[in-house]
Amino acid sequence: KTVATAKEAQAAAASGNKEGCLSAIKQTKQYYKEITGDAAGKPLQDAMKKVKEAQAHCEAGNVHDAAPILGEAVAGMEKVNAGIK
């Protein structure tokens, strides 16, 4: 779920949709709080730092700047997912 909502945020940012980006980031952060386990540790924290960085860009109105940062976050989350399964 976390990867899916991060991808939604990335798509919204790429299309210039500030509200959609912020909404999807909010959901991503909520799902992140539900994730536990050692495998998720630092790599997932690093991905969430990227999500927070992208959120700051969206809030400032630099929505297109958030898209590549969210892309990095998604890539990091997918690596974590691969390690957990």
Side-chain angles (χ1 to χ4, degrees):
K1 288 195 285 189
T2 311
V3 174
T5 55
K7 284 182 178 178
E8 285 174 27
Q10 182 185 14
S15 67
N17 180 350
K18 179 180 176 179
E19 292 307 312
C21 179
L22 290 173
S23 174
I25 284 174
K26 185 177 178 186
Q27 277 194 303
T28 301
K29 290 166 83 173
Q30 185 59 45
Y31 291 142
Y32 166 70
K33 292 175 186 171
E34 298 170 9
I35 297 171
T36 57
D38 293 338
K42 177 116 174 69
L44 189 56
Q45 287 175 0
D46 291 344
M48 288 308 296
K49 281 183 193 166
K50 295 276 184 205
V51 170
K52 288 175 184 164
E53 185 181 338
Q55 181 179 12
H57 281 294
C58 279
E59 287 171 346
N62 306 323
V63 184
H64 291 287
D65 293 342
I69 297 168
L70 286 164
E72 292 173 33
V74 167
M77 289 176 192
E78 287 175 336
K79 284 182 190 171
V80 170
N81 272 355
I84 291 174
K85 290 178 182 170

